[in-house]
Amino acid sequence: MSLDECMRYAVEHSSTVVQQSYANNNYRQDYIASIAAMVPLISGTVGASTSFGRSVDPETNTYTNVSNFDNSYSLSVSVPVFSGLSRINTLRATRVMRRQGAEELQLARDQVALKTMEAYFDVVYYTESVRLAREQYETSLAEVARTRKLLELGLKSSADMAEVESQCASDDYLVMQQQNNLALAEIALADAMNFPVDKRLTVDTDVAVETPAGVAFGYDEVLANALENNPKAVAAGYNERYSRLSLSVARGYLFPSVYLGGGYSTNYFMNLDNRALYSSFSRQFSDNRGFYVSLQLSIPIFNGLSGRTNVRKARNNWHIAEQKRSETLRLLQSEVAQAYQQMLGYGKEFVYATKKTEAARRAYEAVSGKYERGLVSAIELQTAADNLLEARSERLRARLQYIIKVRLVEYYNGEPLIRR
């Protein structure tokens, strides 16, 4: 799997992303409910009752000892005319929350992708470190064989042989150590991807971008784009806007509410002891029907100060959201500045590490030639070999870190982390 395939797999199988998707579905249901709260409320009732023994006659409203049957139907409509604009502001708030949820979902995907990218490059680093350590070990084996021949010819001492064998054992240990680090990095990558533990994860460690090519955009452009379009900044802005609308909703409940209503009702009545005295069901259903229209004014006079305390709490939440947004933008600005500077720094480190590696290789070749002629000791040869390995490791680290920071800066500038 390539880097983009690993990140795509991690996003698709992330429990954090799935949880945020369900949360967004709840935001959508809240939005639908806020729309439904603005339409007329329609309700219908159907009832049937029968009485035995002493009871009230529904027709004469007097007590009787006969058995009666009563059947009623009603339909009512209630329309909210004015409620302090709380319903409209609730609709706006839920619409904002849906947009915030979309940004939070994208942020969750980006965070999973970034975590996976870091774990992936750890695997790449230790894979290359294993290769470098093996090359160093093979070189040490060759030096041991060469030193043994020189020892037989009397050109090297037993002390030189012991030093070379010690270096070979140290290089063998380094291979084992780097292999263990690689295994741990692969486990960390599988964990970041939520990859099945019973399957073998194999990644493509051939990463593009061999040399620092730089970027075509400056720091100011990256920062401006991040502060305006990055999911962190956009979600924080939506959260502040949602809190402000929630304050308007809380204030709306302090105002009177006006409801317009209307209804229709009818009923059917019958004496079970003498059914012939009463009209048919269809006749009574038509004759007994009635209509009504109502206008209701609800004035909140005293409700235990809950209205005022809700307003104050909503105002505090709004100020908290403002502070969180400011803090988010400040941290985001710091992240962009660090990523951009690290990109420039690792690019320069890579260039100098490449030069250092070439110099260390030439130095090792020169020392190796002198060692064969008996002009330097085994310790000097060992030192030159260690310097070469260290230079190659520094070059590898600088190269991979540069690639990570370039992709991170491009992300802050609006490029998607996962590429097609």
Side-chain angles (χ1 to χ4, degrees), residues 292-359:
Y292 75 90
V293 176
S294 66
L295 185 65
Q296 178 183 356
L297 175 64
S298 176
I299 304 175
I301 298 177
F302 181 77
N303 55 3
L305 299 179
S306 62
R308 294 188 178 276
T309 55
N310 288 336
V311 170
R312 291 170 181 170
K313 289 170 60 178
R315 184 183 294 110
N316 291 335
N317 290 334
W318 175 33
H319 292 319
I320 291 173
E322 286 182 322
Q323 294 299 317
K324 286 184 176 180
R325 180 173 182 267
S326 299
E327 181 67 10
T328 298
L329 295 179
R330 186 188 66 81
L331 292 176
L332 181 59
Q333 182 176 357
S334 177
E335 291 176 7
V336 173
Q338 292 181 23
Y340 197 89
Q341 183 58 42
Q342 287 172 343
M343 178 193 67
L344 298 178
Y346 284 121
K348 295 177 182 178
E349 285 186 24
F350 178 78
V351 173
Y352 285 106
T354 300
K355 296 178 181 179
K356 181 179 178 180
T357 301
E358 293 299 322

Side-chain angles (χ1 to χ4, degrees), residues 206-408:
D206 185 14
V207 184
V209 187
E210 176 64 23
T211 57
V215 291
F217 35 81
Y219 169 72
D220 293 337
E221 179 184 350
V222 176
L223 178 61
N225 197 300
L227 294 179
E228 183 177 357
N229 301 315
N230 189 268
K232 285 185 180 180
V234 179
Y238 280 137
N239 184 50
E240 187 271 335
R241 185 179 175 187
Y242 172 79
S243 299
R244 186 171 68 250
L245 289 171
S246 297
L247 173 60
S248 299
V249 172
R251 286 172 173 169
Y253 288 122
L254 299 178
F255 291 89
S257 301
V258 180
Y259 296 89
L260 177 64
Y264 163 84
S265 64
T266 187
N267 72 301
Y268 169 74
F269 173 76
M270 179 179 63
N271 186 325
L272 295 177
D273 296 330
N274 191 357
R275 305 182 182 185
L277 296 177
Y278 298 89
S279 303
S280 64
F281 176 83
S282 59
R283 182 68 179 270
Q284 288 195 43
F285 193 88
S286 176
D287 293 344
N288 295 341
R289 63 183 177 178
F291 304 88
Y292 75 90
V293 176
S294 66
L295 185 65
Q296 178 183 356
L297 175 64
S298 176
I299 304 175
I301 298 177
F302 181 77
N303 55 3
L305 299 179
S306 62
R308 294 188 178 276
T309 55
N310 288 336
V311 170
R312 291 170 181 170
K313 289 170 60 178
R315 184 183 294 110
N316 291 335
N317 290 334
W318 175 33
H319 292 319
I320 291 173
E322 286 182 322
Q323 294 299 317
K324 286 184 176 180
R325 180 173 182 267
S326 299
E327 181 67 10
T328 298
L329 295 179
R330 186 188 66 81
L331 292 176
L332 181 59
Q333 182 176 357
S334 177
E335 291 176 7
V336 173
Q338 292 181 23
Y340 197 89
Q341 183 58 42
Q342 287 172 343
M343 178 193 67
L344 298 178
Y346 284 121
K348 295 177 182 178
E349 285 186 24
F350 178 78
V351 173
Y352 285 106
T354 300
K355 296 178 181 179
K356 181 179 178 180
T357 301
E358 293 299 322
R361 179 179 290 106
R362 290 193 299 268
Y364 173 77
E365 293 173 352
V367 172
S368 178
K370 291 181 180 179
Y371 175 77
E372 189 173 357
R373 296 191 299 271
L375 300 177
V376 296
S377 65
I379 296 179
E380 292 176 286
L381 178 64
Q382 176 182 344
T383 301
D386 290 340
N387 290 338
L388 176 58
L389 178 61
E390 180 182 357
R392 296 178 72 183
S393 297
E394 290 178 356
R395 180 181 182 275
L396 172 63
R397 181 187 62 85
R399 171 176 175 257
L400 296 181
Q401 287 294 329
Y402 175 76
I403 296 173
I404 292 175
K405 298 309 175 182
V406 166
R407 296 196 66 152
L408 186 59

